[in-house]
Amino acid sequence: MWNAILWGTIAASATLLGALVVLKFTIPKKIIGSIMALGTGALIGATTYELLEESLEISSIKEVAIGFLGGALIFTILDYYISHKGGQKRKHSDRVDENNASLFNSSGGSSKGSATSGMGIFIGSVMDTLPESAMIGMSLIGGQAVSMALVVSIFISNIPEGLSSTAGLLKSGFTKKKIIFMWVLVVFFSALSSLAGATLLDNASDSIKAIVSCFAGGAIIAMIASTMMPEAFKEGGPIVGFITSIGVFISLWLHYL
């Protein structure tokens, strides 16, 4: 139980780290795009090697298809809704390298629309991190050692999440203290998600474990394709293709260590 909470917290803490960095320093867009690309590749590899491959070992392609495609579909529906509430900006880094003063409106506050956008960013960020943390918990089922490929991949991908989303929250008029508190909540929810993944499925059948694991994997792949990959290319340019490949290789290397 404590292992699940510990590793879920460590992986999610990268979002808080990213937030603290952008509140203190100016971060070039290309660096954010490169980190996002590295995290994209790492998550693709971790999902493939840690979830889909291992699920196929304990179940059939039918269970894998139900879970994986179901997770992708549900995430897409939720993402569509959250995006219309401002959550599409949670991965945008277009203002990370601006002066902090330009992130606020002229009155120093936020409009109702900006507040709605900021809350959408926060909810979208939580929605992104929960399936990732659940994956970590699932890797601990049966007393197994934590999957370092998952932890490292999720940690890397969460850094640009914290960087970009914090810029959006600042733009929406949120104070620094409120932003930090919100990211602490994200870390807390992620720890709970990891705990749930490790405990709720402990006595489930192999088919159920495979479906739920692949459900999380499908949600993550949908998240990567709709938010991380477009933003990484936008900010980093063609080089992100190679950096993404490095991320996939790192995940493969950690999986077979």
Side-chain angles (χ1 to χ4, degrees):
M1 180 181 76
W2 293 111
N3 272 345
I5 294 175
L6 172 65
W7 290 111
T9 299
I10 290 174
S13 66
T15 55
L16 179 59
L17 175 63
L20 293 174
V21 169
V22 81
L23 289 174
K24 292 290 185 180
F25 305 101
T26 297
I27 310 297
K29 294 178 182 179
K30 283 191 175 295
I31 291 180
I32 294 177
S34 297
I35 296 173
M36 197 171 291
L38 188 67
T40 294
L43 279 178
I44 291 173
T47 300
T48 302
Y49 308 129
E50 300 292 328
L51 292 186
L52 298 184
E53 181 180 308
E54 294 184 4
S55 293
L56 277 173
E57 293 176 357
I58 62 173
S59 64
S60 68
I61 192 66
K62 177 182 177 181
E63 282 80 8
V64 170
I66 291 173
F68 188 72
L69 298 179
L73 177 62
I74 295 300
F75 180 90
T76 300
I77 293 172
L78 292 174
D79 190 45
Y80 181 83
Y81 175 77
I82 293 298
S83 293
H84 281 73
K85 299 296 182 180
Q88 80 280 1
K89 299 178 182 179
R90 63 190 185 274
K91 294 287 197 303
H92 289 192
S93 57
D94 56 331
R95 286 180 172 81
V96 173
D97 58 353
E98 303 283 347
N99 292 327
N100 284 345
S102 69
L103 296 171
F104 297 92
N105 58 34
S106 58
S107 64
S110 63
S111 66
K112 182 178 178 180
S114 293
T116 300
S117 175
M119 190 53 61
I121 291 171
F122 173 69
I123 294 173
S125 298
V126 172
M127 186 175 72
D128 290 344
T129 57
L130 291 185
E132 297 172 347
S133 300
M135 285 170 58
I136 293 176
M138 290 174 199
S139 73
L140 293 167
I141 290 178
Q144 299 183 63
V146 70
S147 169
M148 290 309 299
L150 279 178
V151 174
V152 172
S153 299
I154 293 170
F155 187 90
I156 293 173
S157 69
N158 278 339
I159 293 175
E161 175 91 36
L163 292 170
S164 300
S165 295
T166 298
L169 290 170
L170 284 170
K171 172 64 178 175
S172 297
F174 285 74
T175 65
K176 291 182 179 181
K177 287 184 178 180
K178 191 169 185 178
I179 290 172
I180 292 174
F181 175 73
M182 292 170 77
W183 284 118
V184 169
L185 282 181
V186 170
V187 174
F188 174 73
F189 289 139
S190 298
L192 290 183
S193 178
S194 180
L195 176 62
T199 57
L200 297 181
L201 297 177
D202 196 22
N203 297 317
S205 66
D206 286 344
S207 293
I208 296 298
K209 290 177 182 177
I211 290 174
V212 175
S213 294
C214 291
F215 185 92
I220 288 172
I221 293 298
M223 180 270 290
I224 290 170
S226 63
T227 60
M228 292 182 69
M229 293 177 69
E231 190 65 19
F233 183 81
K234 174 185 173 183
E235 304 300 352
I239 189 64
V240 301
F242 178 69
I243 296 174
T244 300
S245 300
I246 293 175
V248 174
F249 180 78
I250 289 174
S251 182
L252 175 66
W253 176 62
L254 290 172
H255 178 68
Y256 286 104
L257 271 180

